Amino acid sequence: MGIFQRFARIPLKSTYIWSLCRQYSTDLTAVDRALIQHRCVHNRGLGASPGNPGAAPPRLPFSRVTQEDLAFFRTLLPGRTITDPDLLKSSNVDWLKTVEGNSEVLLRPKTTEEVSQILRYCNERNLAVCPQGGNTGLVGGSVPVFDEIILSTSLMKQVITFDNISGILTCQAGCVLENLSNYLEERDFIMPLDLGAKGSCHIGGNVSTNAGGLRLLRYGSLRGTVLGLEVVLADGRILNCLATLRKDNTGYDLKQLFIGSEGTLGVITAVSILCPRKPKAVNVAFLGCSSFQQLLETFQCCRGMLGEILSAFEFLDASCMSLLEKHLKLTNPITESPFYIVIETAGSNATHDEEKLHKFLEEVMTSSLVTDGTVATEATKIKALWSLRERVTEALTHEGYTYKYDISLPVEKIYDLVQDMRGHLGDMAKNVVGYGHVGDGNLHLNITSPSKDPALLAAIEPYVYEWTSKWKGSISAEHGLGLKKRNYIYYSKPSEAVALMGSIKAMLDPKGILNPYKTLPDNIH
Amino acid sequence: MLPLRFRRVTMSARVLVGVKRVIDYAVKIRVKPDRTGVVTDGVKHSMNPFCEIAVEEAVKLKEKKLVKEVVAVSCGPQQVQETIRTALAMGADRGIHVEVSGKDYETLGPLQVSKIFAALAKKEQADLIILGKQAIDDDCNQTGQMTAALLDWPQGTFASEVTLEADKLKVVREIDGGLETIKIKLPAVVTADLRLNTPRYATLPNIMKAKKKKIVNVKPADLGVDVSSRLEVLKVDEPPQRQSGVKVETVHDLVEKLKEAGRI
C-alpha cells in the first residue's frame, strides 16, 4: 500500500537517532536498552519511525507558556487555572496509563465565551491546546503530547433545554453521559448512545470521537442523532450551528466535519441531540454458542425473529470470560462455551417483547444454535448480565499491558482475525481475546502481556493492519486515531482523501494549535 | 431400625417456599400524588431478593436429595404467576397461586400471609417452610415468625447456613453480636438472610421445562383465611430531601459559613 514511501519523508535526524539506538542496543544491559527504548518511543521527540509509528513526532515550534500567559488565564478564569503539578498529573495521563504529556496548565472554562477568549488568545500567541473531556479515550488523543495547554470541559455541564415532545436535548459539551442518561430517564427518554465509560465520558468528547457504543445497532451513530453543534474555532470564532431541527437542508452540513474530528478542527462547546423514548420493556439474554459460525446464524435468526425490538447484539469469547472470572470475580451464569452473546431487546410492550424473545430462544435452543443461556427482565439482573460484557476492558487492565485494536471487518471474518493472531503470536502473547459489537461488524481485539514488550508489538503491527486492509476493513472502527494510530490512516483511507483532510485542517486551523500530533498522519504537516 | 419419623423427613420431605412479587430493587420508587402509597402501575416488578435466596436453598436441598419436593407459593393477583414461574425455572417442582386481588391485595400484610402459609403447610403436609427474612417493599420481617407461631413450629430466622442433621435442622443465624448456631426440630420455619447462598440464574433449558410445571390456583377462603386487614395506612411520604452541600474555597470561608449556620 505504499506506506513506507511516506515514511521516507520523516526528518533524517530522527531516523538517524533511531538507528543509532538500534546499533548500540546489543552492547547495553537490559535496563539501558529499556531506557533508550522508552526515550525513543515515548513522547521525547525522537520521532515516529517505521518501527514505531505510534510514537510522538518531534515537538512543533509552538510558543511556551509564560508568566504573562498565566496572568491572562488567571484573570479570565479565576480559580479555574490549574498549575499545581499534582492536580495536573491525572489530566496528563490517559485512562490506559500508556501515554503521558507534560502540560503545565489546565484550564476549566464554564461558558462558550470563555472558550472563545482562550482560543483567540492561544491562536495569537501560537500556544498549542489539547481539548479534554472525560479523558477516557483509548488512542492517546485526549492528553497532551508535550506541553499543550489542557482545555477541560469538566465545568461546562449544564443542560440547556429539553423538549419532551420532540425528544431533543441541548446541553453543554462537558455533561457526563451517565448524568444525561439519568436526567433523561426521569423524563421517560434515553440517550441514543451507551458505552462502558458512561460514568466519566463527556458528551462533547463522545461527539468529537463519533463514539459508537452498545446501542448503535438500534439507534444509529452520532452522525444521525446529533442535530446541531456549537463549536469554537481555532481563532476563537464561535460557530453556532446549534439547530434543534430534525430536518434542515440549507447549505453544507458543517457539523459533520466536527463530529469525529477528535478536537483537531474546533472545540465543541454545546450539542443538540435527538433522544429516543425510554423503552418500557427491556430484556437481556445471555447465550452460549459452540462456534462462531453458529453465533452468526444466531444473529441472522435474531434479526429475523426479534426484528425491530433488537437493541444490542454483543459477543465475547471464552478467554474474556476467564479474565472476568479471574480478575473481577464475576460468575459465568451459564455453562462454559467458546462464545457468549449478549442480546438486548427494547420495546414499548412487555408482553409482546417477551413473547417474541421466548419464541426466538426456543427456536435457537431446539435447533442447537445455542447451547445454553439465561434471560433477565429485572433491572438488577440486566445490569449483572451487561457487566459481563461491559467490564471486559477493565478486566484486561489487570493483565499487565494491553495492546488494543478496534477493527471493523465483514462480519464473517471477525473471529478469523483473532484466531490468526493467536497462531501468529504463539507464546509471545499472554492472552489474545476478542469481543465487541459483532452486530455492527466491530471487533475489539486485545493482546495482553505482563509488561510492555516491543518484540510483541513488532509482531502485532503492522501485521494486524495489513490483515485488516486486505479485507477492506477499518483499522479504527470507533476509537478514532488519536496519537497512537494517526500514521495508520493510509491502511483504511486513500491518499487523496487524507490530503483533502489536510487541506481542511489547514483552512480551519492554520497555525495547527488544536490538538496537534493527533488524528492526521505526521507527513501531512 | 430408623424411627418412622426420621424416615418420613429424609425421604419424602416437602418444602414450601414463599415468593413475593415486589417492585424491582433497582427501580426508583415514586410516591403516588395522593400519598396513599407508591406508584406500582407500569413499574418493573421482580421476585424479592430474599425469596430468591429461599428458593435457591430449597432447590439445593432437593439436589442433595435431602428433600423430595419443592413447592413455590405466592399470594396476589394474576401477575404473581410470573414470580412463581421464575421459582419453577430455578428448580421448584410445582406452584401454588393464592389469589388475592384489588383492595384485599393492597392491604395484604404479614398476618394474613402467615395464616395462609400455616393453612397450606397443614394442607400440603409440609415439613419445612423457607421464606425470605423480609420483603424489600415493606421491610416487615414478620411473616416467618408469625407463621411459626401459628403452627407452633420452631423457627430459624436470619439463616446464613442451614444443615439438615437427621430430623433436626442446624441453623447459623446472623445476629447483632455475630453468629448464633441453633438446632431446631422439624417441621420448622426458616427465613433466609443475604449470605445463605447466591441464587442461580435460571437457564434456558430450565425455563423451557418450567413452562410445563403446574401452578394450582387457590382462594384464601378455601383455606379458611380471612384476608381483611386490621391496619389502615394513613399516609405515605418521601423521605426529606437531602440538602445539597456547599463547597468553600478557603478555610476562612469555612469558618464564616459555620458561624452563619450557628454551628460555632
Side-chain angles (χ1 to χ4, degrees), chain B residues 86-132:
Chain B
T86 311
L88 295 174
M90 284 171 73
D93 298 295
R94 58 183 168 91
I96 300 175
H97 170 200
V98 180
E99 292 171 0
V100 180
S101 47
K103 197 81 184 58
D104 283 337
Y105 181 57
E106 278 169 41
T107 56
L108 191 69
L111 184 56
Q112 302 100 306
V113 173
S114 53
K115 286 180 185 168
I116 291 171
F117 269 101
L120 276 174
K122 291 195 189 115
K123 182 164 175 256
E124 299 285 334
Q125 295 186 304
D127 302 289
L128 179 59
I129 300 178
I130 311 184
L131 305 174

Side-chain angles (χ1 to χ4, degrees), chain B residues 52-120:
Chain B
E52 279 182 358
I53 298 174
V55 173
E56 176 66 25
E57 197 59 25
V59 172
K60 271 206 168 97
L61 286 172
K62 193 178 91 154
E63 282 171 348
K64 288 185 202 158
K65 301 221 193 320
L66 295 169
V67 303
K68 183 135 177 268
E69 196 187 28
V70 176
V71 183
V73 181
S74 193
C75 309
Q78 183 62 21
Q79 293 97 313
V80 307
Q81 294 221 355
E82 279 165 36
T83 317
I84 301 176
R85 285 267 167 237
T86 311
L88 295 174
M90 284 171 73
D93 298 295
R94 58 183 168 91
I96 300 175
H97 170 200
V98 180
E99 292 171 0
V100 180
S101 47
K103 197 81 184 58
D104 283 337
Y105 181 57
E106 278 169 41
T107 56
L108 191 69
L111 184 56
Q112 302 100 306
V113 173
S114 53
K115 286 180 185 168
I116 291 171
F117 269 101
L120 276 174

Side-chain angles (χ1 to χ4, degrees), chain A residues 6 18 58 106 140 153 172 191-192 208 229 245 247 253 274 335-336 338 391 427 436 463 472 490 501 515:
Chain A
R6 268 110 194 155
W18 176 253
L106 166 67
T153 51
Q172 284 189 304
M191 285 298 280
S208 306
L229 290 180
L245 301 169
K247 303 169 81 165
D253 192 8
L274 181 65
T335 43
E336 251 184 77
R391 295 183 71 187
D427 285 332
Y463 182 82
K472 300 210 174 14
Y490 293 106
M501 292 181 207
N515 222 9

Side-chain angles (χ1 to χ4, degrees), chain A residues 362-396:
Chain A
E362 235 183 278
E363 174 62 37
V364 290
M365 281 293 301
T366 46
S367 62
S368 297
L369 278 178
V370 157
T371 48
D372 196 5
T374 183
V375 191
T377 46
E378 308 89 14
T380 339
K381 288 223 173 67
I382 288 177
K383 264 205 189 99
L385 290 179
W386 261 119
S387 66
L388 291 166
R389 161 64 185 88
E390 288 186 304
R391 295 183 71 187
V392 177
T393 321
E394 191 193 327
L396 285 162

Side-chain angles (χ1 to χ4, degrees), chain A residues 62 119 122-123 126-129 234 505 509 511-516:
Chain A
F62 295 113
L119 289 184
C122 289
N123 194 40
N126 198 22
L127 289 164
V129 173
K505 167 75 171 172
D509 182 15
K511 291 191 179 179
I513 61 163
L514 290 177
N515 222 9

Side-chain angles (χ1 to χ4, degrees), chain A residues 182-257:
Chain A
N182 292 338
Y183 174 91
L184 288 170
E185 275 172 36
E186 279 173 28
R187 291 156 179 76
D188 216 25
F189 282 79
I190 53 168
M191 285 298 280
L193 81 164
D194 187 26
L195 32 149
K198 60 185 145 215
S200 309
C201 60
H202 295 185
I203 187 68
N206 290 145
V207 174
S208 306
T209 53
N210 191 22
L214 307 160
R215 284 184 190 149
L216 191 132
L217 187 73
R218 169 71 167 260
Y219 302 112
S221 90
L222 285 170
R223 294 199 180 278
T225 50
V226 169
L227 299 179
L229 290 180
E230 180 190 65
V231 182
V232 178
L233 300 174
D235 60 3
R237 274 179 297 163
I238 301 173
L239 187 67
N240 186 346
C241 289
L242 204 59
T244 50
L245 301 169
R246 195 75 176 79
K247 303 169 81 165
D248 180 15
N249 282 346
T250 51
Y252 303 149
D253 192 8
L254 294 176
K255 66 176 187 293
Q256 292 297 343
L257 263 182

Side-chain angles (χ1 to χ4, degrees), chain A residues 17 21 45 67 157 206 225 243 271 281 285 294 316 354 389 392 418 488 507 509 524:
Chain A
I17 292 171
C21 291
Q67 286 303 321
K157 47 190 178 166
N206 290 145
T225 50
V271 177
Q294 292 185 319
L316 49 143
E354 268 162 38
R389 161 64 185 88
V392 177
V418 182
Y488 296 119
M507 180 189 78
D509 182 15
I524 285 204

